[in-house]
Amino acid sequence: MNPTTYNLCRINMFLHNVNFDNFDIRLEDTLLRPQHMQDAPFDAIVSNPPYSLKWDGKENPILMNDPRYAPAGVLAPKSAADLAFTMHMLWHLSERGTAAIVEFPGVLYRGGDEKKIRQYLIKNNYVDTVIQLPANLFFGVGIATCIIVLKKSAKTDSKVLFIDASKLFTKNGNKNLLLPEHQDKIMQLFQARKDEQYLAKLVSNDDILENESNLSVSAYVEQEDTREVINIEEVNASLESLIKEGNELNEKIEAIIKELEK
């Protein structure tokens, strides 16, 4: 929709030696006038849509009949089209395909119509994995974003895997970087699809629905307590020793003062 982004996107293809015949990028409003519905379905969808973008929402009655949005029964709020993009990509996904979408964290737990859309996604077993990313990872975005992985019929269970990768990074100047070893660890957790303390938790759809359809990783993956462990008995013993030493010093000082007075 943005001409500058559109041209940068095409330039990016040429910089990566992708021939003009091998990509189809168009300048248009994805949510209101989708350009590739005739090419669907797709086996792989990777997207980083704009965060909290304003759109027509309920003000446009035609959208409620759009086959991309109608299944959820509600539209994403006017002030945040994040889940509208999610529904758009779900519609384009093949039955065996996988979609990985970078999301603004608020869509994981906010109420209202966004909660209803999450309920639709969870009840239909479309949410495969939610990955919490480190903060300050993308240029121009300081917040900690997440990745929602969607599948239609390719799932083998009725659960969602939550991965906390928020601490899997290295500092690079004023930005954080996901190094190959961090990416490998995330993929290892994704493929294993099982619990790993402080890193991954497999949760049933029913439990998530009971928890307000909350898809926040922090709601399910236990945080490691890195605070220093304090031994109270040792602290008390040390205090008693210090008090005893203090009393002894006070007695000596009093004795010295009495001698000086004489």
Side-chain angles (χ1 to χ4, degrees), residues 96-249:
R96 64 179 184 180
T98 301
I101 310 165
V102 180
E103 298 274 18
F104 183 79
V107 305
L108 300 176
Y109 57 81
R110 289 192 297 236
D113 289 337
E114 288 182 311
K115 176 183 174 181
K116 293 176 182 177
I117 295 174
R118 291 198 308 272
Q119 287 174 335
Y120 165 76
L121 295 173
I122 297 164
K123 285 180 179 179
N124 286 276
N125 202 28
Y126 292 144
V127 184
D128 180 82
T129 306
V130 181
I131 305 169
Q132 181 63 59
L133 296 174
N136 205 25
L137 201 62
F138 300 104
F139 288 102
V141 181
I143 60 171
T145 55
C146 59
I147 296 175
I148 293 182
V149 179
L150 301 179
K151 292 184 179 180
K152 281 188 176 177
S153 300
K155 289 183 67 176
T156 58
D157 56 32
S158 298
K159 299 178 180 180
V160 176
L161 176 66
F162 293 90
I163 297 175
D164 186 356
S166 60
K167 295 179 178 63
L168 299 179
F169 68 90
T170 187
K171 293 290 293 182
N172 181 32
N174 60 354
K175 300 299 294 182
N176 295 331
L177 281 181
L178 279 177
L179 295 179
E181 55 262 36
H182 301 137
Q183 298 172 35
D184 291 343
K185 181 60 180 178
I186 294 171
M187 282 305 302
Q188 175 194 327
L189 294 167
F190 177 78
Q191 292 170 341
R193 201 167 178 78
K194 63 181 182 180
D195 294 356
E196 184 166 330
Q197 191 176 30
Y198 308 132
L199 287 173
K201 184 73 175 179
L202 195 59
V203 184
S204 71
N205 289 340
D206 290 339
D207 287 344
I208 298 170
L209 290 168
E210 288 181 10
N211 190 27
E212 300 293 315
S213 300
N214 189 337
L215 289 173
S216 295
V217 173
S218 59
Y220 305 100
V221 180
E222 179 187 2
Q223 296 292 306
E224 184 177 7
D225 189 349
T226 57
R227 294 175 297 179
E228 181 183 357
V229 178
I230 299 174
N231 188 317
I232 299 299
E233 293 181 358
E234 288 183 2
V235 172
N236 286 334
S238 178
L239 283 173
E240 288 179 8
S241 176
L242 288 170
I243 292 170
K244 183 179 178 180
E245 288 179 14
N247 291 335
E248 291 175 354
L249 284 171

Side-chain angles (χ1 to χ4, degrees), residues 85-98:
F85 282 105
T86 301
M87 292 296 294
H88 165 85
M89 284 173 262
L90 178 66
W91 186 91
H92 284 80
L93 192 62
S94 72
E95 293 298 320
R96 64 179 184 180
T98 301

Side-chain angles (χ1 to χ4, degrees), residues 68-83:
R68 297 170 295 163
Y69 312 127
V74 294
L75 296 171
K78 283 176 53 181
S79 59
D82 306 75
L83 289 182

